[in-house]
Every structure is written in C-alpha cells, then in structure tokens.
Amino acid sequence: MEALTCFKAYDIRGELGKELNEDIAYRIGRAYGEFLKPKTIVVGGDVRLTSEALKMALANGLMDAGTDVLDIGMSGTEEIYFATFHLGIDGGIEVTASHNPMNYNGMKLVREGARPISGDTGLRDVQRLAEANQFADVDSVKRGSYKQISVLDAYVDHLMGYIDLANFKQPMKLVINSGNGAAGHVIDEIEKRFQQANAPVSFIKVHHQADGNFPNGIPNPLLPECRKDTSDAVREHRADMGIAFDGDFDRCFLFDENAEFIEGYYIVGLLAEAFLKKEQGAKIIHDPRLTWNTIDVVTKAGGIPVMSKTGHAFIKERMREEDAIYGGEMSAHHYFRDFAYCDSGMIPWLLVAELLAVKGQTLSQQVAERMKAFPCSGEINFKVSNASEIISILSGKYSSLCQTRDDIDGISLNFSDWRFNLRTSNTEPLLRLNIETKGDIKKLNLLLEEFTSIIHSY
C-alpha cells in the first residue's frame, strides 16, 4: 500500500508529481465520498496553474463515489466555507496551496456546516481509504452529477452585512494587494457595493489580476520581504490603510497610514473590542503565542477571554464549544460566529475600515496605545534540527523563575513583566518564538538577543 505523504495534520499539501497529482486527487475524491457518503459537495480552486486539473480529478472521484458536485470555479477557501453552510450541503473541498512554493498544491476539506476535516475528525480515515485504493467498480446508474454554479453575490451580501456603508461619510483611500491570487474578483464586487451606496472610498488595486505564474512572487505578507509593494503603494497614494492577502485570502494583513505593517496580534484586540461593543459579555477565543494584550482588551471591555491551542481546527472547535462571537490568532487568522465559526480574510479589513470611519482616528492611532502597553517580537522562526532539545534547554533555564507555565501549545512561561511562547512547527523543521513585555521595549530587545544567542549556539 502506497503511503500518501501529502496528508498533513490539518489539510492536504504536497509537492506536485509524486506527492500530489491527478491520480491522487481522484483517489482523495473517491475516499471522501466513500467515507462521508455525502449527497452533494461543493468544490473550488485557487489560481495555481495545476488547481483546475486537480479539482476536476477530485470531482471525478467524488462523482464516481456517487456524490453530486457543485463547482464554484476559481475561489478562495472561505468561499468554499460559505457555499457549504449557505447552501446547506454536505461538505466542500478547496484546491489550494495558499502561500506554499510554486511546485506545491493541496486541499482543504470541510463537512456539513463547514466543519473542518482534520487529523482526528476524518482526515486520517480519508487518507487510509485513498492509500488502500481498493474502490468498487463505478456504478454508472449511481454516479453523481456535475454542475457549475456561482455563490459570489450571496457571499458578498454576507460580507457586507458585517458593516454599515452609511458610516463611510469621509473620503477614504484603501490600497488592496491581492498578490495575483484569488482575492481580486471578490474585491471588485465589494468595490461595486461601495459605489452603489455612494460611499466615498477609493480602492487602489495592486497585483490585482489573478495569475498562477505569480509574477510578483508567492503572496505571503507574513514574510517581511513580501510587504514592500503594499507599503510603497500606501506611501505613493497617501492611503488610509493597506491590505494584503495570501494566495487563497483566508488571511489579510494590514498596514497603517504610514505604511507600517501592523502585527496581527494587535488587530485581534481591535476586533475583539469592536465585537464586545455589539455583544456585552461575549466570549473571545485567542491562541497562546501572544496573549496579554488580548486578555487586557477583552477583560476591560466586559468580555471573557478563552485560550485555545493554535490551529484552525482547534480554534473552530473551541469557538463552537463556547459559542464565541469572535476568535483571532496572531498569524492573521480571524474567526466569526456568524461565518459558521470559520476564518475569513475579507471580514477583518471591512470591520477595520469601518472603525477608521466611525472613530475618526487613523489606524496607527487606534493601535499605538496597545503596542506601547504590550510590545511584542512577532513570531521569530529559527531553522533547527533539534527543536525539542532546545525547548527543553530553555525550559530548564527559565522555568524556576516564572510565575505560571502552560503547555497548551509548546511552552508558555509567564513572568511579572514579560512572557514567551516557544513551539515547534507542525510542518517544517522550525522553532517558533514569541516574546512580549509589559511596556518595556528595551527589555524586549534584550530578551530577543538573549534567546537568539542561545538558540543559535545549538
């Protein structure tokens, strides 16, 4: 039996050719259909040059398993989430490798209600069936159907329901960098809604056209080297905010009016506060990497902060358990109860744009106080071969001095005026470090130097 290494902890991702090809995509479709026995599934794909062929092979596998397939065409992952819960069907699959290199592709799978299918919620079962490849002969009478549909209007209607266009009274300029990914067609439709409402908002589009060759590089604004084009456009056009997406636009990254990148951590606090004004006492989910600002904001706004392990499957599960109104990860994943507890890259920037309009403050003004109160390192990645050993060494060095410790995700040690989280990557030989302090940037920089020196010495 052939092992399929494209099956990861939360989704499917692999190098094109041996790890992921049309035959494997077909087998994944057959396996999904055999395991869940869905009546109807929605499929879509990002702009990568191989996504269409992989999607059609996947669709054939699903149909041969007796499943009817609805194809929404080129789409972002959240459009699959939306179509699944909006149409009330049995699941959805997006063919995407998000921000992975050109020679990769993958899939994100959900079941009814857009619930994620990951390692312990069905992905291993799908993997087992796909690897065995022992499928019955196709029954032509029971074979599923195929239909191309669009949910774009309904999806954009849903997005616009999070804001009130009447709040946009003053002129506003937004730079929007789609990174030649899948976001452009949605941005065009949102722009039309602003125009129809006579809202004085200008959209300055950068790398807007979908192009699977990614002529301007793979869109991953989490990497500093991928931010320059957005920053330059904000400066050139004197924009009020810059917005940049990754390839399947499930994450958006924001830049203030000075073209400065804003860590996703502070956006979590900003959105949490906004939601708590709408629903007093609501629960807000956050991850363990950086926490103090979120806890402080949520508590002062009368909400209840709830920590969850990092990762979309864990966050979504906890969101449902707690019926939380909103959840945010510092990595720019934002989750919304009214979006079937799923993550969206479109809803956050719409909400922040509305905050700019309503508060009459710039984005830098809205986050400055929080950045000063809880300065952070952002996530620093170290390529290492002995991550577990280094974690053990640093744990031993600092554990006796800390006030509290938790092991929800890696290790988090809390001291009186600083804390850190250290964890391994699920997918790469990386050690990920986050440090924050209580208002002490000098201490933050010294700690960062200290940790970097120790890690590099091993």
Side-chain angles (χ1 to χ4, degrees):
M1 185 172 70
E2 178 192 0
L4 296 179
T5 56
C6 59
F7 281 82
K8 308 301 183 187
Y10 310 121
D11 53 26
I12 293 165
R13 260 176 301 108
E15 194 167 359
L16 293 165
K18 187 177 180 183
E19 277 199 310
L20 186 60
N21 53 45
E22 290 175 40
D23 173 63
I24 292 171
Y26 171 85
R27 286 156 61 185
I28 291 169
R30 281 298 298 266
Y32 184 111
E34 298 284 344
F35 174 61
L36 285 173
K37 297 183 170 47
K39 185 179 187 309
T40 307
I41 290 292
V42 63
V43 299
D46 68 11
V47 303
R48 287 175 184 257
L49 302 177
T50 56
S51 290
E52 181 66 21
L54 290 171
K55 181 188 70 180
M56 293 312 300
L58 171 76
N60 278 321
L62 286 163
M63 289 187 287
D64 283 353
T67 301
D68 294 335
V69 174
L70 302 175
D71 184 354
I72 63 171
M74 190 193 75
S75 54
T77 299
E78 68 186 70
E79 289 179 87
I80 288 292
Y81 296 158
F82 174 79
T84 302
F85 74 77
H86 175 71
L87 298 172
I89 55 179
D90 304 305
I93 304 175
E94 168 79 354
V95 177
T96 179
S98 186
H99 57 275
N100 283 98
M102 282 282 286
N103 58 328
Y104 279 74
N105 215 323
M107 299 178 195
K108 295 180 180 177
L109 291 69
V110 295
R111 59 202 307 159
E112 75 286 344
R115 292 172 180 263
I117 296 175
S118 56
D120 57 354
T121 55
L123 196 60
R124 294 289 81 83
D125 299 284
V126 173
Q127 179 179 0
R128 177 175 46 79
L129 290 168
E131 287 177 342
N133 199 21
Q134 299 291 316
F135 300 112
D137 292 339
V138 178
D139 184 337
S140 59
V141 176
K142 294 180 181 178
R143 191 172 191 267
S145 62
Y146 173 84
K147 183 181 180 182
Q148 292 180 333
I149 65 165
S150 174
V151 294
L152 183 59
D153 281 345
Y155 164 61
V156 175
D157 283 345
H158 181 90
L159 295 179
M160 301 312 290
Y162 289 84
I163 61 171
D164 183 353
L165 287 172
N167 285 326
F168 293 83
K169 296 181 173 68
Q170 300 300 318
M172 183 183 295
K173 282 186 187 177
L174 301 176
V175 163
I176 303 182
N177 185 347
S178 297
N180 301 115
H185 71 289
V186 179
I187 295 300
D188 288 341
E189 290 302 314
I190 291 174
E191 182 182 34
K192 287 177 189 174
R193 304 299 176 93
F194 275 84
Q195 291 169 343
Q196 288 163 3
N198 293 316
V201 178
S202 303
F203 285 55
I204 298 147
K205 300 170 186 176
V206 177
H207 306 328
H208 185 67
Q209 295 304 316
D211 186 342
N213 292 298
F214 295 118
N216 299 288
I218 301 289
N220 184 14
L222 199 58
L223 302 176
E225 60 267 28
C226 295
R227 300 172 189 168
K228 185 177 185 298
D229 291 349
T230 309
S231 293
D232 288 349
V234 170
R235 287 191 196 94
E236 179 188 346
H237 296 277
R238 297 183 179 179
D240 296 286
M241 181 168 70
I243 301 136
F245 297 102
D246 64 358
D248 63 338
F249 68 86
D250 63 345
R251 296 179 299 159
C252 74
F253 302 84
L254 303 183
F255 298 72
D256 69 18
E257 74 284 359
N258 301 312
E260 294 293 330
F261 178 80
I262 305 297
E263 285 288 345
Y265 177 38
Y266 302 109
I267 302 301
V268 173
L270 202 61
L271 294 180
E273 187 175 18
F275 275 105
L276 287 166
K277 285 180 180 173
K278 298 177 182 180
E279 187 176 316
Q280 187 75 22
K283 291 179 179 177
I284 305 291
I285 308 297
H286 64 92
D287 69 298
R289 289 171 286 183
L290 294 167
T291 65
W292 277 349
N293 179 63
T294 306
I295 291 168
D296 189 60
V297 167
V298 171
T299 304
K300 285 178 178 174
I304 303 168
V306 179
M307 189 186 295
S308 165
K309 189 173 181 179
T310 303
H312 79 96
F314 299 112
I315 299 272
K316 289 169 184 173
E317 183 181 3
R318 197 67 190 270
M319 289 274 293
R320 281 189 165 87
E321 283 176 10
E322 304 287 348
D323 194 30
I325 192 170
Y326 164 72
E329 291 183 278
M330 57 153 292
S331 54
H333 282 286
H334 301 274
Y335 306 80
F336 304 89
R337 183 171 64 198
D338 292 343
F339 199 62
Y341 304 98
C342 291
D343 45 328
S344 166
M346 287 291 165
I347 297 168
W349 74 262
L350 286 166
L351 289 167
V352 174
E354 186 178 43
L355 287 174
L356 298 185
V358 171
K359 287 188 172 183
Q361 290 181 311
T362 65
L363 182 53
S364 67
Q365 288 171 337
Q366 292 195 42
V367 297
E369 183 186 332
R370 307 313 308 179
M371 291 172 70
K372 186 178 178 183
F374 298 101
C376 74
S377 62
E379 189 153 86
I380 313 294
N381 291 312
F382 299 91
K383 198 163 190 176
V384 297
S385 58
N386 54 343
S388 297
E389 181 187 346
I390 294 171
I391 289 176
S392 179
I393 289 164
L394 286 165
S395 172
K397 177 177 172 62
Y398 293 103
S399 283
S400 62
L401 305 170
C402 74
Q403 293 181 334
T404 59
R405 168 182 175 145
D406 74 64
D407 300 295
I408 289 175
D409 203 351
I411 61 165
S412 295
L413 301 186
N414 298 285
F415 305 82
S416 61
D417 58 353
W418 70 283
R419 67 179 297 278
F420 76 90
N421 172 268
L422 196 62
R423 56 193 280 271
T424 56
S425 166
N426 286 313
T427 56
E428 302 168 87
L430 294 175
L431 193 60
R432 305 190 191 278
L433 172 68
N434 286 278
I435 306 175
E436 61 184 320
T437 70
K438 291 182 178 175
D440 194 336
I441 293 176
K442 185 177 178 182
K443 182 162 194 165
L444 175 68
N445 291 329
L446 288 171
L447 286 164
L448 196 50
E449 286 178 20
E450 185 177 319
F451 273 75
T452 301
S453 175
I454 294 169
I455 292 168
H456 282 160
S457 70
Y458 291 95

